[in-house]
Amino acid sequence: MAAIQGQQYFVSAAIVAAELHKAMLVAREISLTASNARALALRAGHGAAGFRAITEFIEELARKTVTASKDINGEAVKMSRTASEIARTRDALDRFHQAFEKAKDSPNLASLKPALEHTKAQFETLEATFHKQINQLIARLEELGRELRTATVLAAMSRVEASASGREFESSLNVIAENVARAASKIQKHVKNSQQLFSEITLI
């Protein structure tokens, strides 16, 4: 049972790492889009001044997403290590209990009690650490999700500013706005998948 649960933790952590890696790749696309948008807005001149300001917010969003994804991924790796320790400690406890059951009439059984109590305390500490790590990761993902919701607002603002840039550039700037909205939607999907996985881990 311990091996199965440990395996579930590892698989979930690996899937989360994959989801966050995808989110980072999309965030880097947004950063490139923002750079293209700034260059285009400069060409458009005064009419796209508002759009230029928005590109700074878009780049900042991309930076935050990349940084947060890296940090969360690192925390997921730590959680995986804790899960490994939990699985091993649980297995040790099972073996202690089996030994106590088989040798319950042995006069030397009491000598094992200190080791058993130490293993129990270690197991409880690891479980508390593990749940704390999960809660921290869920909080970080929720924070990232809130940041990403601003991308929808930025895309809407971008469309408004695009319409003020003049007919020559409006279409191109609208494409950029759509790219930002679409990329943000993809990242939100990866973040939600990660949140769902961590929620399921707490129920194991």
Side-chain angles (χ1 to χ4, degrees), residues 3-28:
I4 292 173
Q5 287 185 325
Q7 212 171 27
Q8 287 172 319
Y9 295 142
F10 295 138
V11 170
S12 296
I15 295 172
V16 167
E19 291 289 342
L20 294 174
H21 179 68
K22 291 174 187 173
M24 280 194 288
L25 293 178
V26 179
R28 285 172 180 148

Side-chain angles (χ1 to χ4, degrees), residues 57 61 145-157 184 188:
F57 288 106
L61 176 65
R146 285 193 295 271
E147 291 282 355
L148 289 167
R149 282 195 283 275
T150 64
T152 305
V153 178
L154 288 173
M157 292 170 62
Q188 284 175 323

Side-chain angles (χ1 to χ4, degrees), residues 14-137:
I15 295 172
V16 167
E19 291 289 342
L20 294 174
H21 179 68
K22 291 174 187 173
M24 280 194 288
L25 293 178
V26 179
R28 285 172 180 148
E29 288 178 17
I30 291 181
S31 185
L32 181 60
T33 297
S35 296
N36 293 338
R38 180 182 285 107
L40 188 60
L42 285 170
R43 285 174 53 204
H46 181 71
F51 200 99
R52 284 200 300 277
I54 291 171
T55 60
E56 293 178 8
F57 288 106
I58 294 171
E59 284 191 325
E60 179 63 18
L61 176 65
R63 279 195 297 272
K64 284 182 178 179
T65 301
V66 170
T67 300
S69 295
K70 285 180 178 177
D71 291 345
I72 293 168
N73 201 6
E75 292 300 318
V77 171
K78 289 180 185 177
M79 189 198 75
S80 179
R81 289 175 185 153
T82 304
S84 175
E85 290 296 321
I86 287 174
R88 281 197 289 268
T89 308
R90 186 187 283 114
D91 185 61
L93 280 175
D94 289 343
R95 291 176 186 275
F96 269 120
H97 290 139
Q98 289 169 14
F100 269 81
E101 183 62 30
K102 289 177 180 178
K104 57 186 175 183
D105 297 323
S106 172
N108 299 318
L109 193 60
S111 64
L112 289 176
K113 283 188 177 179
L116 173 61
E117 293 304 318
H118 174 76
T119 306
K120 278 183 179 178
Q122 186 181 18
F123 179 75
E124 289 171 2
T125 300
L126 285 168
E127 275 206 321
T129 299
F130 185 75
H131 289 296
K132 182 180 178 182
Q133 287 172 334
I134 287 177
N135 291 333
Q136 287 175 337
L137 282 169

Side-chain angles (χ1 to χ4, degrees), residues 134-175:
I134 287 177
N135 291 333
Q136 287 175 337
L137 282 169
I138 289 174
R140 291 292 303 275
L141 286 166
E142 287 175 351
E143 182 183 349
L144 179 56
R146 285 193 295 271
E147 291 282 355
L148 289 167
R149 282 195 283 275
T150 64
T152 305
V153 178
L154 288 173
M157 292 170 62
S158 298
R159 293 187 194 99
V160 172
E161 293 299 333
S163 65
S165 65
R167 189 173 299 177
E168 182 184 355
F169 297 97
E170 181 177 357
S171 177
S172 297
L173 290 174
N174 267 324
V175 168

